[in-house]
Amino acid sequence: MIEFQKVTKRYDHDVYALKEVDIKIEKGEFIFLVGPSGSGKSTFLKLIIKEEDPTNGKITINSKELSKLKEKDVPYLRRKIGFVFQDFRLLYDKTVEENIVFALRVIEASEREIRTQVSSALKQVGLEGKEKSYPNQLSGGEQQRVSLARAIATRPPIIIADEPTGNLDNVTAKEIMESLFEINRNGTTVVVVTHDENLIKSSNKRVITLNKGRVASDTGKGGLI
Amino acid sequence: MGTSTYLFKQGYGNLKKHGSKTFSTMLIICATMIILGIFLIIVINVNHNVKTVTEGQGLQAFISEDHLEQESVQEIARKLKDVDNVKEIIFLNKDDALLDAKETLKEYAYLLEGLEKANPFPASFIVKFENLQGTENVKKAIESIDGIYKVGYNETIMNAVISVADIAKIVFFGIGGVMVIISIFIISNTIKLAVYSNKREIFIMRYIGATNKFIRRPFVVEGTLIGMGAAAISWVIVSLTYIVTYARLPKIGSTLGIFGFVPYSSLWYIILIAFVILGIALGVIGSSISIKKYLKA
């Protein structure tokens, strides 16, 4: 599903963000990607959505080699990946429902699809009844759920969550993680970038650790550090 | 609500959000269009008069006395028709020439009486041009035709008309070009404001998988609406001004005897089409420039 083969990303002045990274993530896997600041986690995410290109190596998503992807096809690659941000990135002048409709409009979904997907996504993250609320009227955890609903509404096969619990308390963080596990149980591949050791320890999921641009450890499927 | 309606609403929403800025931009674009419209009207009128002069002007090719037999005249006529830029030829025989001279002299026509038997006026061809460019070459070509001994040609009027037409076009394209560039700059600045205030939305759109076309469209709609609004206002102002001015123009035209103005009825749609095209072009180009840097993949 996601494969990095000897991927190197070098910025100006010989600064290496990633160095010969080999990572293979299978369809339906749940992965924690961890590592200190500057370890290359953000670069890894930017490469997956082709916001940046590697200096060397090959990246394959859904059997498609990204270097062969034309610029005009990049949006269609991104439609296969739902993104969840640490700071939610919601539109605060739109209601919960409108935020999700917005995502579906962007991918030019039909009116029927929009109706079905909005209620299904809200149900999946447990936000039924909050359709008409504005993000400011919701708690942090609820806002992150809206962000999750927006990511899954377009039914992408991959979800990438960048520090999804970074701004939340422990209880809420666990709830969000539970939602991500649930999404994964439905067959979606999930990659979670996090600093939170507690979340990782209690989950029994595969953990890939990056350090100084290299894979420092990989527990493999269902592994513990 | 379909995607198109959604995009239109977004564009219209941006317009409303920056109401005063939108209005001032529209006024500046109006100023450009009005100035361009005035120049366009001048060009149309000059062209109209150039055409009238072209149709009326020509040269006179005089036939020598030893080429007056029918076959020679026909041969000359054939050669004249072959010359580039010749629209039509009219044959004036010696009797016509005498009659013409009498008409010109009016009350002094009696001076020419008795000349019918030994008519000194030469037969000639009046040659009309397709256009006034390159008439000098026509003159040279006709002079070289066997049987033509002289060519009468009023260079001064023709050169003056050509110069006026050329200057009008140069001024139109010169000033017009500069004003269009300024307008594009102004419209793109206004839309930059909308782009900036929608930065967050654009960022999310790109992550979700919006195509560049989808991101660009609301801003193009906004730019086009500004352009079309300015086109409508400018058209009304220019039209009213021309109608009022035209009502006073025939007096000037008849006094001068040569210069006629194009009536509004054959002008309004040209101005309207030009303004609408310009409005759309300014909107599309201006907005595309302002959104460009946000469309990196």
Side-chain angles (χ1 to χ4, degrees):
Chain A
M1 175 127 271
I2 301 172
E3 192 171 5
F4 277 50
Q5 286 174 278
K6 300 251 174 281
V7 172
T8 296
K9 177 67 186 176
R10 191 184 67 233
Y11 292 104
D12 293 341
H13 312 296
D14 278 353
V15 177
Y16 285 86
L18 290 179
K19 236 175 182 179
E20 299 203 331
V21 168
D22 284 306
I23 292 175
K24 193 172 183 184
I25 300 168
E26 300 289 351
K27 186 171 182 253
E29 264 197 279
F30 192 109
I31 305 282
F32 281 113
L33 185 68
V34 298
S37 295
S39 60
K41 300 190 302 287
S42 300
T43 305
F44 180 84
L45 298 184
K46 282 178 186 170
L47 291 173
I48 287 182
I49 56 162
K50 206 170 159 52
E51 197 176 323
E52 287 183 7
D53 292 315
T55 315
N56 282 310
K58 200 165 103 177
I59 301 169
T60 315
I61 309 273
N62 264 349
S63 315
K64 278 195 184 121
E65 206 191 310
L66 297 197
S67 64
K68 290 182 180 159
L69 209 63
K70 289 178 189 152
E71 201 172 307
K72 68 175 174 58
D73 293 323
V74 172
Y76 301 98
L77 161 80
R78 291 181 183 165
R79 289 178 191 189
K80 305 265 180 237
I81 303 164
F83 230 94
V84 180
F85 303 92
Q86 178 176 1
D87 58 358
F88 324 133
R89 300 277 166 122
L90 298 174
L91 299 169
Y92 288 90
D93 57 345
K94 286 181 166 38
T95 63
V96 167
E97 189 179 38
E98 285 165 350
N99 265 279
I100 299 162
V101 169
F102 172 76
L104 288 157
R105 286 218 185 282
V106 165
I107 64 157
E108 291 165 78
S110 69
E111 288 305 303
R112 201 173 148 192
E113 259 179 297
I114 290 175
R115 273 195 303 274
T116 332
Q117 285 307 110
V118 169
S119 56
S120 147
L122 285 173
K123 192 176 168 191
Q124 213 172 329
V125 299
L127 274 181
E128 290 156 298
K130 299 276 184 185
E131 292 86 349
K132 304 292 173 205
S133 307
Y134 283 89
N136 283 335
Q137 298 168 314
L138 304 175
S139 69
E142 285 172 324
Q143 289 188 43
Q144 192 57 294
R145 280 175 196 283
V146 179
S147 175
L148 256 179
R150 182 180 63 193
I152 59 172
T154 57
R155 285 191 284 192
I158 303 166
I159 292 280
I160 291 177
D162 187 7
E163 303 280 2
T165 57
N167 288 358
L168 306 173
D169 61 67
N170 287 342
V171 179
T172 319
K174 273 188 181 156
E175 285 171 9
I176 290 295
M177 286 312 298
E178 210 32 69
S179 294
L180 284 165
F181 292 143
E182 177 63 29
I183 290 165
N184 175 244
R185 276 194 287 275
N186 292 333
T188 308
T189 308
V190 179
V191 178
V192 176
V193 176
T194 185
H195 274 110
D196 196 334
E197 297 278 329
N198 293 329
L199 288 179
I200 302 163
K201 279 175 190 160
S202 59
S203 71
N204 196 28
K205 300 285 184 190
R206 181 179 170 193
V207 182
I208 298 170
T209 310
L210 290 178
N211 196 10
K212 292 178 182 166
R214 292 183 186 274
V215 177
S217 68
D218 183 350
T219 61
K221 266 188 188 176
L224 283 165
I225 300 175
Chain B
M1 182 170 59
T3 306
S4 306
T5 321
Y6 169 77
L7 292 169
F8 184 83
K9 273 185 86 173
Q10 289 289 108
Y12 182 69
N14 285 341
L15 270 187
K16 284 206 322 199
K17 212 189 281 179
H18 308 289
S20 58
K21 180 84 177 156
T22 301
F23 185 67
S24 56
T25 304
M26 213 182 264
L27 286 187
I28 295 167
I29 307 296
C30 273
T32 302
M33 285 187 174
I34 290 168
I35 292 170
L36 283 176
I38 290 168
F39 277 114
L40 183 59
I41 286 174
I42 292 172
V43 169
I44 291 171
N45 273 292
V46 168
N47 274 343
H48 167 74
N49 283 285
V50 166
K51 210 179 153 205
T52 314
V53 173
T54 311
E55 278 163 4
Q57 286 295 320
L59 53 74
Q60 198 166 10
F62 296 100
I63 305 164
S64 54
E65 292 289 330
D66 51 351
H67 280 78
L68 289 176
E69 314 83 64
Q70 203 182 349
E71 296 95 73
S72 295
V73 171
Q74 277 171 354
E75 177 64 13
I76 293 169
R78 197 182 55 74
K79 285 180 179 169
L80 284 173
K81 279 179 188 164
D82 282 347
V83 174
D84 267 353
N85 199 18
V86 168
K87 188 182 171 191
E88 63 168 324
I89 54 169
I90 302 158
F91 179 62
L92 285 181
N93 63 25
K94 288 171 76 72
D95 295 339
D96 294 333
L98 180 62
L99 208 66
D100 207 28
K102 280 181 178 172
E103 273 172 20
T104 312
L105 289 172
K106 289 176 186 167
E107 63 264 40
Y108 302 107
Y110 66 88
L111 291 171
L112 300 174
E113 267 169 29
L115 285 177
E116 286 82 2
K117 282 173 190 164
N119 183 355
F121 289 94
S124 64
F125 277 102
I126 304 288
V127 179
K128 300 270 175 83
F129 304 121
E130 285 282 353
N131 64 65
L132 287 184
Q133 307 287 342
T135 50
E136 196 56 38
N137 294 335
V138 178
K139 187 190 166 202
K140 279 180 192 157
I142 292 175
E143 276 171 343
S144 67
I145 295 174
D146 195 26
I148 300 291
Y149 75 94
K150 190 180 140 194
V151 173
Y153 170 54
N154 195 344
E155 284 170 74
T156 325
I157 287 184
M158 290 194 203
N159 287 340
V161 171
I162 293 168
S163 305
V164 170
D166 286 348
I167 290 168
K169 279 175 201 162
I170 291 167
V171 170
F172 175 73
F173 285 111
I175 294 182
V178 172
M179 303 226 41
V180 165
I181 291 167
I182 293 171
S183 298
I184 289 174
F185 176 75
I186 290 165
I187 212 164
S188 79
N189 248 356
T190 303
I191 291 169
K192 242 180 226 166
L193 198 73
V195 171
Y196 190 79
S197 73
N198 286 294
K199 226 166 73 178
R200 191 183 178 86
E201 222 159 292
I202 295 170
F203 175 88
I204 297 167
M205 278 184 181
R206 287 187 50 221
Y207 267 81
I208 294 172
T211 56
N212 283 346
K213 210 166 91 185
F214 187 92
I215 299 174
R216 196 189 293 122
R217 265 189 287 179
F219 302 104
V220 173
V221 166
E222 183 188 357
T224 308
L225 287 175
I226 294 176
M228 298 273 277
I233 297 170
S234 311
W235 181 67
V236 170
I237 293 173
V238 169
S239 294
L240 288 177
T241 312
Y242 193 73
I243 290 168
V244 171
T245 317
Y246 185 79
R248 294 154 199 262
L249 285 177
K251 292 173 211 150
I252 305 168
S254 59
T255 314
L256 294 176
I258 45 159
F259 209 79
F261 289 88
V262 179
Y264 178 70
S265 58
S266 28
L267 199 78
W268 68 269
Y269 61 92
I270 301 173
I271 306 289
L272 182 64
I273 293 169
F275 279 180
V276 169
I277 292 174
L278 185 63
I280 294 173
L282 287 177
V284 172
I285 298 169
S287 52
S288 302
I289 292 171
S290 27
I291 187 79
K292 209 174 164 192
K293 80 167 188 177
Y294 290 90
L295 295 181
K296 192 177 118 316

